Amino acid sequence: RNNGREFIFATPLFGQDLVDALEFLDQTIGEAKHDNPDSFEFNHRTSVHIHIDVRDMEPEELFRMLMYYVIFERLLFDWIYRVSGIDRSESPFCIPYFNSADDYIGLLNTLNKMNRYPDPEIAVREHLFRQLHGTHEYDTIVFWIQVIQNLKRAAKEYQIDPDQLLAHVSGIGPREFLREVFPENHETLMEMQDVEWEIMLGVRRAQDMLLNYAIQEVNSLIWQHLSADDMMDNLSDRLKRNRREA
């Protein structure tokens, strides 16, 4: 659309190869815009997509990573707004969970897939983050990559039971929790508005997510233990009850 272009790594990169590629992207687009300001435009439809490898994560670790994300989501969107002037929380391409609680179902389905399909040919291999606005700026992209990597690192390093997360945050305090998860980024994120309040609200949202997951697990166990006859009897009883109520 409108001569749009998408820049994609030919192969997954990390370490110095990733640094070199991002520096090349930043330099090339920067020089082109210097010569012709209209040569590149990042509009509201563009974004930076970061795919993180989760093949080395257990389902519980991935769940913990997603809970950490939900806790800090508002702060991360606030940071994106500060560096870009774009309110990505209003974008239909990356609707935040704090604006759409129903989207927890998507997260939970990912976890269920990992639990049910341990085969690497079927299981979840990556998780996509597309909250960041379209940009070529090296420092901004690297900061965002560090944020995502720290979500994964903390989920694997701190073996906190999800149902004990609120107690953990209350025990060490929201600011210390922020420092614990984002050692390289916490000073910048501390500058966001109402940091402590937003983190505690995020913890509450993460608890809602945990509750939804527990309900799904219980329902799954119930249906797994019902025989085919039990399922038909259950369905028959419901149909009879509906006819009586009608």
Side-chain angles (χ1 to χ4, degrees):
R1 175 180 295 186
N2 298 328
N3 296 312
R5 294 291 185 273
E6 184 176 13
F7 295 88
I8 306 173
F9 291 152
T11 184
L13 299 178
F14 59 92
Q16 190 59 46
D17 290 336
L18 175 60
V19 169
D20 292 342
L22 292 177
E23 287 181 341
F24 176 77
L25 178 71
D26 189 23
Q27 179 180 350
T28 301
I29 296 180
E31 290 175 352
K33 292 178 68 174
H34 180 268
D35 296 337
N36 178 7
D38 297 326
S39 59
F40 284 89
E41 177 191 4
F42 294 92
N43 62 29
H44 72 283
R45 296 179 59 86
T46 61
S47 61
V48 176
H49 287 197
I50 305 295
H51 299 256
I52 188 166
D53 188 354
V54 298
R55 289 174 297 180
D56 61 336
M57 300 185 77
E58 297 296 326
E60 181 178 325
E61 293 173 336
L62 178 59
F63 185 64
R64 192 157 43 238
M65 183 183 82
L66 298 177
M67 287 188 72
Y68 284 156
Y69 169 75
V70 169
I71 290 171
F72 295 111
E73 184 179 53
R74 173 69 78 172
L75 290 183
L76 299 179
F77 272 96
D78 287 350
W79 170 77
I80 292 170
Y81 179 76
R82 173 173 289 194
V83 299
S84 68
I86 301 171
D87 186 0
R88 289 284 291 168
S89 69
E90 297 296 326
S91 171
F93 309 113
C94 58
I95 299 172
Y97 295 107
F98 59 74
N99 281 346
S100 181
D102 290 343
D103 279 350
Y104 288 137
I105 302 301
L107 292 179
L108 302 182
N109 287 339
T110 298
L111 293 166
N112 286 332
K113 187 176 181 182
M114 288 190 73
N115 281 323
R116 296 173 185 172
Y117 302 110
D119 187 331
E121 293 300 318
I122 304 175
V124 176
R125 298 183 178 187
E126 63 183 34
H127 191 73
L128 170 62
F129 291 82
R130 55 184 180 185
Q131 294 83 349
L132 188 63
H133 61 287
T135 181
H136 63 88
E137 295 176 357
Y138 173 84
D139 290 340
T140 300
I141 297 175
V142 168
F143 184 95
W144 183 240
I145 291 174
Q146 287 177 338
V147 164
I148 296 170
Q149 288 178 325
N150 276 318
L151 288 171
K152 177 180 177 178
R153 176 200 55 79
K156 293 178 67 68
E157 184 175 329
Y158 301 115
Q159 299 295 313
I160 304 169
D161 289 337
D163 57 353
Q164 295 298 316
L165 199 53
L166 177 59
H168 177 70
V169 178
S170 298
I172 66 175
R175 289 179 177 270
E176 183 59 32
F177 182 57
L178 182 68
R179 184 180 293 108
E180 180 179 88
V181 177
F182 302 112
E184 296 98 345
N185 318 105
H186 71 274
E187 291 184 358
T188 298
L189 296 175
M190 288 277 194
E191 299 173 0
M192 301 303 105
Q193 189 172 5
D194 301 325
V195 171
E196 296 188 9
W197 175 252
E198 292 295 350
I199 291 175
M200 295 311 296
L201 284 179
V203 171
R204 296 296 183 186
R205 286 189 286 269
Q207 285 185 311
D208 290 341
M209 177 177 143
L210 177 62
L211 177 60
N212 276 282
Y213 183 61
I215 291 172
Q216 277 201 10
E217 287 293 286
V218 170
N219 287 337
S220 177
L221 288 172
I222 290 173
W223 284 102
Q224 285 176 20
H225 287 84
L226 285 176
S227 67
D229 290 340
D230 291 333
M231 294 172 64
M232 292 304 298
D233 290 343
N234 181 277
L235 178 59
S236 176
D237 290 342
R238 290 172 60 186
L239 290 173
K240 291 177 182 177
R241 185 168 59 252
N242 289 340
R243 282 200 295 267
R244 287 197 301 270
E245 293 175 355

